[in-house]
């Protein structure tokens, strides 16, 4: 197997995990998942890292860095491959463009609400002690 194909596959897997973590975080905010935060809640830390990474990437380079890396690796392996859209539109082409374009602001809102919920959870834990 070609080394760039292996790296590309690893990038796809990491990218998929990041997308799942962020999407789950959007729903978790409305379920109150972050209100049950405790110090060993590794999902919350993963959500913060992935959501902040997405926001910083969008603000600094105007796109997702994982998509850019994946696109470059695919095109270096096979120059005829066209991957002009983002991750979700590439693998789920039926998603509306307006939805995909609103992902950054949705992530920012979910991150803000999650932070408030975590702060409330930490305060209530501190008040109990």
């Amino acid at each position: 197997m070609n080394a760039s194909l292996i790296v590309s596959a690893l990038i796809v897997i990491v990218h998929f995990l990041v997308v799942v973590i962020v999407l789950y975080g959007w729903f978790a905010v409305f379920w109150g998942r972050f209100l049950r935060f405790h110090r060993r809640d590794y999902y919350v830390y993963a959500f913060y890292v992935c959501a902040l990474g997405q926001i910083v990437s969008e603000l600094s380079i105007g796109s997702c860095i994982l998509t850019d890396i994946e696109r470059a690796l695919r095109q270096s392996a096979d120059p005829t491959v066209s991957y002009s859209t983002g991750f979700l539109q590439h693998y789920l082409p039926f998603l509306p463009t307006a939805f995909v374009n609103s992902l950054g602001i949705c992530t920012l809102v979910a991150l803000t609400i999650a932070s408030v919920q975590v702060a409330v959870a930490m305060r209530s834990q501190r008040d109990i002690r």
Side-chain angles (χ1 to χ4, degrees):
M1 257 182 118
N2 189 349
S4 68
L5 227 71
I6 294 171
V7 172
S8 182
L10 290 173
I11 292 292
V12 169
I13 291 167
V14 168
H15 205 171
F16 173 77
L17 290 173
V18 167
V19 167
V20 167
I21 288 169
V22 171
L23 288 176
Y24 176 75
W26 295 351
F27 296 108
V29 161
F30 297 108
W31 295 327
R33 161 79 172 72
F34 296 97
L35 287 170
R36 294 184 302 274
F37 171 76
H38 53 83
R39 293 192 192 280
R40 290 191 203 144
D41 192 348
Y42 299 114
Y43 171 74
V44 172
Y45 302 121
F47 174 71
Y48 280 150
V49 168
C50 293
L52 285 171
Q54 177 190 354
I55 292 167
V56 168
S57 178
E58 290 288 334
L59 291 175
S60 62
I61 64 173
S63 64
C64 176
I65 193 161
L66 292 174
T67 300
D68 292 347
I69 293 169
E70 186 180 343
R71 184 180 299 129
L73 286 171
R74 284 175 181 257
Q75 288 177 343
S76 71
D78 183 6
T80 62
V81 172
S82 68
Y83 184 177
S84 59
T85 59
F87 183 87
L88 287 176
Q89 286 180 311
H90 181 74
Y91 294 105
L92 304 171
F94 57 85
L95 290 176
T97 304
F99 169 74
V100 175
N101 290 340
S102 68
L103 296 179
I105 193 70
C106 291
T107 302
L108 182 61
V109 169
L111 187 63
T112 303
I113 295 170
S115 297
V116 169
Q117 289 181 352
V118 166
V120 167
M122 289 176 65
R123 183 176 182 144
S124 68
Q125 290 171 6
R126 190 174 50 228
D127 289 345
I128 291 172
R129 293 180 190 168

